[in-house]
PDB file of all heavy atoms in Angstrom:
ATOM      1  N   ALA J 367      -8.022 -14.136   5.663  1.00 98.00           N
ATOM      2  CA  ALA J 367      -8.435 -15.136   6.667  1.00 98.00           C
ATOM      3  C   ALA J 367      -9.562 -14.598   7.547  1.00 98.00           C
ATOM      4  O   ALA J 367     -10.531 -15.305   7.856  1.00 98.00           O
ATOM      5  CB  ALA J 367      -7.238 -15.538   7.513  1.00 98.00           C
ATOM      6  N   LYS J 368      -9.424 -13.352   7.945  1.00 98.00           N
ATOM      7  CA  LYS J 368     -10.432 -12.717   8.799  1.00 98.00           C
ATOM      8  C   LYS J 368     -11.783 -12.675   8.106  1.00 98.00           C
ATOM      9  O   LYS J 368     -12.837 -12.742   8.750  1.00 98.00           O
ATOM     10  CB  LYS J 368      -9.976 -11.298   9.149  1.00 98.00           C
ATOM     11  CG  LYS J 368     -10.891 -10.559  10.111  1.00 98.00           C
ATOM     12  CD  LYS J 368     -10.338  -9.173  10.416  1.00 98.00           C
ATOM     13  CE  LYS J 368     -11.281  -8.405  11.341  1.00 98.00           C
ATOM     14  NZ  LYS J 368     -10.765  -7.041  11.638  1.00 98.00           N
ATOM     15  N   ASN J 369     -11.768 -12.602   6.767  1.00 98.00           N
ATOM     16  CA  ASN J 369     -12.999 -12.526   5.994  1.00 98.00           C
ATOM     17  C   ASN J 369     -13.373 -13.852   5.336  1.00 98.00           C
ATOM     18  O   ASN J 369     -14.179 -13.887   4.406  1.00 98.00           O
ATOM     19  CB  ASN J 369     -12.870 -11.426   4.930  1.00 98.00           C
ATOM     20  CG  ASN J 369     -12.915 -10.037   5.531  1.00 98.00           C
ATOM     21  OD1 ASN J 369     -13.990  -9.490   5.756  1.00 98.00           O
ATOM     22  ND2 ASN J 369     -11.757  -9.455   5.794  1.00 98.00           N
ATOM     23  N   ASP J 370     -12.760 -14.943   5.818  1.00 98.00           N
ATOM     24  CA  ASP J 370     -13.109 -16.297   5.388  1.00 98.00           C
ATOM     25  C   ASP J 370     -12.874 -16.520   3.888  1.00 98.00           C
ATOM     26  O   ASP J 370     -13.677 -17.167   3.210  1.00 98.00           O
ATOM     27  CB  ASP J 370     -14.565 -16.608   5.742  1.00 98.00           C
ATOM     28  CG  ASP J 370     -14.865 -18.107   5.725  1.00 98.00           C
ATOM     29  OD1 ASP J 370     -13.922 -18.877   5.961  1.00 98.00           O
ATOM     30  OD2 ASP J 370     -16.021 -18.482   5.465  1.00 98.00           O
ATOM     31  N   VAL J 371     -11.762 -15.987   3.379  1.00 98.00           N
ATOM     32  CA  VAL J 371     -11.415 -16.159   1.975  1.00 98.00           C
ATOM     33  C   VAL J 371     -10.246 -17.136   1.871  1.00 98.00           C
ATOM     34  O   VAL J 371      -9.231 -16.988   2.543  1.00 98.00           O
ATOM     35  CB  VAL J 371     -11.040 -14.816   1.317  1.00 98.00           C
ATOM     36  CG1 VAL J 371     -10.564 -15.027  -0.111  1.00 98.00           C
ATOM     37  CG2 VAL J 371     -12.251 -13.876   1.340  1.00 98.00           C
ATOM     38  N   LEU J 372     -10.403 -18.143   1.008  1.00 98.00           N
ATOM     39  CA  LEU J 372      -9.405 -19.198   0.845  1.00 98.00           C
ATOM     40  C   LEU J 372      -8.383 -18.810  -0.221  1.00 98.00           C
ATOM     41  O   LEU J 372      -8.742 -18.330  -1.298  1.00 98.00           O
ATOM     42  CB  LEU J 372     -10.110 -20.491   0.433  1.00 98.00           C
ATOM     43  CG  LEU J 372      -9.233 -21.713   0.144  1.00 98.00           C
ATOM     44  CD1 LEU J 372      -8.501 -22.171   1.404  1.00 98.00           C
ATOM     45  CD2 LEU J 372     -10.085 -22.853  -0.419  1.00 98.00           C
ATOM     46  N   LEU J 373      -7.099 -19.033   0.063  1.00 98.00           N
ATOM     47  CA  LEU J 373      -6.020 -18.752  -0.873  1.00 98.00           C
ATOM     48  C   LEU J 373      -5.450 -20.059  -1.399  1.00 98.00           C
ATOM     49  O   LEU J 373      -5.032 -20.921  -0.626  1.00 98.00           O
ATOM     50  CB  LEU J 373      -4.906 -17.946  -0.186  1.00 98.00           C
ATOM     51  CG  LEU J 373      -5.328 -16.643   0.498  1.00 98.00           C
ATOM     52  CD1 LEU J 373      -4.132 -16.000   1.190  1.00 98.00           C
ATOM     53  CD2 LEU J 373      -5.935 -15.677  -0.508  1.00 98.00           C
ATOM     54  N   ILE J 374      -5.430 -20.213  -2.724  1.00 98.00           N
ATOM     55  CA  ILE J 374      -4.835 -21.383  -3.368  1.00 98.00           C
ATOM     56  C   ILE J 374      -3.552 -20.927  -4.053  1.00 98.00           C
ATOM     57  O   ILE J 374      -3.585 -20.044  -4.915  1.00 98.00           O
ATOM     58  CB  ILE J 374      -5.779 -21.999  -4.426  1.00 98.00           C
ATOM     59  CG1 ILE J 374      -7.179 -22.215  -3.853  1.00 98.00           C
ATOM     60  CG2 ILE J 374      -5.198 -23.301  -4.961  1.00 98.00           C
ATOM     61  CD1 ILE J 374      -7.254 -23.227  -2.747  1.00 98.00           C
ATOM     62  N   HIS J 375      -2.418 -21.524  -3.691  1.00 98.00           N
ATOM     63  CA  HIS J 375      -1.136 -21.054  -4.217  1.00 98.00           C
ATOM     64  C   HIS J 375      -0.364 -22.172  -4.899  1.00 98.00           C
ATOM     65  O   HIS J 375      -0.318 -23.305  -4.417  1.00 98.00           O
ATOM     66  CB  HIS J 375      -0.277 -20.479  -3.084  1.00 98.00           C
ATOM     67  CG  HIS J 375       1.017 -19.892  -3.553  1.00 98.00           C
ATOM     68  ND1 HIS J 375       2.244 -20.437  -3.236  1.00 98.00           N
ATOM     69  CD2 HIS J 375       1.277 -18.818  -4.350  1.00 98.00           C
ATOM     70  CE1 HIS J 375       3.201 -19.719  -3.807  1.00 98.00           C
ATOM     71  NE2 HIS J 375       2.641 -18.737  -4.479  1.00 98.00           N
TER      72      HIS J 375
END
Side-chain angles (χ1 to χ4, degrees):
K368 184 179 178 181
N369 288 275
D370 198 27
V371 175
L372 177 65
L373 305 177
I374 310 295
H375 184 247

